[in-house]
Amino acid sequence: MPTRTAAEVDHALDLYLVPLFAQHRLPLQRAREAYYGVRFAFNLYNQHLPLSHGSLDGYKREGPDVSREPCPFEVAVLVSLDILGQPGPESPLVAAAVLFTFDSYARPGSLCGLECRRLISVDGSRCCLVFFPGDREERSKGRTQDDTVEVGIQGREWLRGVAQAVSEVRQGPHKLLGISQASLRRHFAAALGRLQLRHLGYTPHCLRHGGASSDANSGMDAVTIQLRGQWRSPKSVVRYMRYMKR
């Protein structure tokens, strides 16, 4: 058997796994067998292969106990409207959070933690959510570049009006939405129950998956989706391409 460096083996195995992962044709068990079989065959069992190991992690996240189906835009709108119709000062802000999570692919916790000044106006007609940099110049998911996401794209321009309405209500040194992640989860689950959709098993995080899948289905390229969703690796994005229309 010819001699190969660990980096060469890692690169070759990654090239084998990623396309099959994107096409959803290789079961997790076979992916594990390929990964560990190659490490054993090339006597690399005690060495870490970062590229192919990342691919294997991608398969693991596809499991039903980890990664749920993306929440469709229609369900997101229905949930938002249901919450909006509930009494209480928090309801409009939770309803907006549902729409913003879908539109921006933001992690619910990151969105709930944004300050008012993180919603900025651009050219008087567009607006953006700024997730990084923050006050302490903290890293953003392992990156240091600016993470600014435009609100209302791909036929969802009307969400800019929602953002404007929120900014007029929430001003000063406050959180933009003024709700906790737990409150978002509670309202979201209650709305699914009232709509008799609880059996679908959606959570607020499924909105993040739903936005990416919807935009992939509309023709947005994987690089743009990756940047918008602030994913570090393209391997985190390929799962959403599975939901594109054939």
Side-chain angles (χ1 to χ4, degrees):
M1 182 178 293
T3 302
R4 294 285 187 271
T5 66
E8 289 173 332
V9 173
D10 188 26
H11 179 67
L13 181 56
D14 182 54
L15 289 178
Y16 169 72
L17 290 174
V18 170
L20 294 176
F21 176 27
Q23 299 167 25
H24 203 60
R25 283 170 37 192
L26 187 64
L28 175 59
Q29 184 58 36
R30 284 186 56 199
R32 286 198 182 105
E33 291 172 355
Y35 176 73
Y36 290 109
V38 167
R39 287 179 64 181
F40 178 80
F42 284 85
N43 195 26
L44 298 170
Y45 196 77
N46 293 321
Q47 296 191 40
H48 181 57
L49 305 179
L51 296 177
S52 50
H53 188 269
S55 295
L56 189 64
D57 279 347
Y59 282 104
K60 291 178 182 177
R61 288 193 294 271
E62 283 293 308
D65 58 333
V66 179
S67 181
R68 297 184 181 274
E69 292 290 296
C71 179
F73 187 50
E74 294 81 359
V75 174
V77 172
L78 283 174
V79 168
S80 179
L81 290 174
D82 180 88
I83 295 173
L84 186 61
Q86 302 305 309
E90 199 176 57
S91 296
L93 298 171
V94 176
V98 170
L99 297 174
F100 291 159
T101 303
F102 184 98
D103 181 63
S104 67
Y105 327 155
R107 290 176 173 83
S110 298
L111 185 64
C112 291
L114 279 183
E115 298 178 354
C116 291
R117 62 191 183 88
R118 297 298 178 185
L119 178 63
I120 61 174
S121 176
V122 181
D123 299 331
S125 59
R126 297 180 297 139
C127 56
C128 297
L129 295 171
V130 182
F131 292 94
F132 180 84
D135 296 327
R136 298 185 301 276
E137 296 299 312
E138 70 275 13
R139 281 181 171 270
S140 176
K141 304 172 189 64
R143 303 190 299 153
T144 56
Q145 66 262 40
D146 174 60
D147 287 335
T148 301
V149 179
E150 184 176 351
V151 176
I153 61 169
Q154 294 274 333
R156 301 192 295 268
E157 292 84 358
W158 57 274
L159 284 175
R160 299 171 187 172
V162 176
Q164 182 62 34
V166 170
S167 67
E168 291 174 357
V169 174
R170 304 287 300 176
Q171 297 181 359
H174 307 295
K175 298 296 184 183
L176 176 63
L177 297 171
I179 61 173
S180 66
Q181 190 174 356
S183 179
L184 174 58
R185 287 196 299 265
R186 184 175 63 255
H187 281 278
F188 192 88
L192 287 177
R194 289 188 293 267
L195 294 167
Q196 299 184 13
L197 296 175
R198 187 169 291 172
H199 64 283
L200 296 176
Y202 293 139
T203 67
H205 197 85
C206 294
L207 296 166
R208 169 174 164 85
H209 297 178
S213 298
S214 176
D215 288 340
N217 192 37
S218 298
M220 184 179 290
D221 62 275
V223 173
T224 302
I225 291 175
Q226 179 187 347
L227 293 174
R228 186 169 177 81
Q230 304 167 52
W231 284 285
R232 283 180 291 180
S233 169
K235 295 168 189 171
S236 299
V237 179
V238 293
R239 74 187 70 177
Y240 305 115
M241 313 314 281
R242 286 173 31 215
Y243 298 92
M244 293 178 66
K245 294 177 181 177
R246 302 300 181 188

